[in-house]
Amino acid sequence: MRACSVPWRLHFGLWRPILLCATLSGCGASVAQTITLEQAIAGALASNANILVARSQLAATEATIQQQRGAFDTTLSVDGSRSRAVVPLRASDQAALAAAGVNLQAQQSDAAQARVALNHTFPNGMQAGLSATHNHLLDNTQTAGGVPAQSTGVIAFQLRVPLMRNGALATGAPLRAAQMEAEASRHELAQIASQTALGAALAYWDYLGKLERLAIARSGEQRGEGLLEELRKLVAADEVPRAELQLAQASLTERRSARIGAEQSVLEARRNLGRLLGLPAAEMMTLGAPETRFPQVPAESNAPPKAASVLQLAARAVQARPDMLALLKRRDVARLRMEAARHQEKPQLDLVLGATRNGLAEGARPWDAGASFSGGAAPGLSVGLNYQLVLGGNTAEGTTRLLAESVTALDIRSRELGYAVESAVETAAWAVNRAALQVTEAEKAVATYASSLDNERIKRRMGIATLIEVLNVEDRYNAALLAAVQARQGYASAIAQFRYEAALLVTPTGDGYQARLQDLVQLPAEMRN
């Protein structure tokens, strides 16, 4: 009886690119259509729905700033009127006029008025108003007495100065709050960009990992098919027992099931990456194959991260993380609104200053407004105080208390987020180190099992090992290959996660953000300094 022999020897570093290309062809993706990690992240930062929504929200906050500036726009008002009033005269008045040679039964007054006013509120709470009013009056009873039509012009200026309430803090608070909200939205956009880049990197590595797992599953299935075919020939030649056919068939069925599951996993990973890139459903299935490979583990990665460097990175991350900056800015907004509300609890006391100049033109026509302003007396001046006190003050005090509680809550959230960021940076730094160690050990296991499998096959040819022993070792070898892929994916993902936690993943560029490819495929230098 002669032991069957399937001649192969595949090493992890040699078979992976070849099998991956074959796998991509079998999944319907063109090998020429590839996508790099840098392209995936750039596409996500440009088209991801979360990024687009965040940009829209930022534009909305900028529109709010413009809206709040409207409170300090100058208001121009123009109005005019013309009227005629006819009032019957008393008999005594008619008799008096008749004695003077005037026959009138009613008094007729023709009045015209035109007014132009400018009003402006300043950010410090002061209010200024300037108006010019032209009046014209023609009265038949006065005309009968020798008094011509009267045209008057009044120029008035008023300045209201708040002394206790409605000052700069309260009046300017809505605009300053809107500006600070816009800054917070910019930080939130940066945070969403960082999260999007992280999600794209993790989805890309997952896509690559699923393809490599599928390549392993297909290779195992092909070896199983070859083994079964050779055993059939040997059974037909009565060189091995028929029972070994059943064992080989069972092994092949198991491997075929694993391959089917791996194919489905590839489709799901491709769809997840396509969604992050903002691709429509029709384009997701044509997404190119990954071109960027898993990062190699350098020898120095076995050294643990330096504690001092990790602490510095954690402290820097607390100061630089966009989510922390956004939260602190919103806390500042709440404090500003609280102080403005507290200011409104005071009584209102305004100083009112005014100046008025009156002009008179007799006999001028109604539309001759210039004549009424051309001459006049010296300006008149006025000064006054306006005091107002709300008894009880429940509205203002309640608003202050409400905003104070918001400040307290944001203080707590910012403190807890700071703790979380520091802890996440430290954890992520150690995760990179341990992931690198896992890759090293997993690759050692692959090499060891490859050698063991060769030995088992030699022993089977010598008749001192059974088929089931060979299949068991081969299954362990396949498991080691899968574990190595998982370890490499974990290492790549740990680098991306570390850079995200340490606020080192994306950098602003123009009106967008970018992530450098070299930062995601090598051990972070920040951990070694």
Side-chain angles (χ1 to χ4, degrees), residues 107-129:
Q107 179 186 17
Q108 179 177 308
S109 299
D110 291 324
Q113 183 186 66
R115 182 177 179 273
V116 178
L118 294 173
N119 291 281
H120 185 81
T121 299
F122 296 91
N124 59 8
M126 291 194 301
Q127 297 176 348

Side-chain angles (χ1 to χ4, degrees), residues 433-450:
N433 174 252
R434 292 191 172 97
L437 294 175
Q438 280 186 300
V439 172
T440 301
E441 296 302 318
E443 291 184 345
K444 288 180 180 178
V446 168
T448 302
Y449 275 117

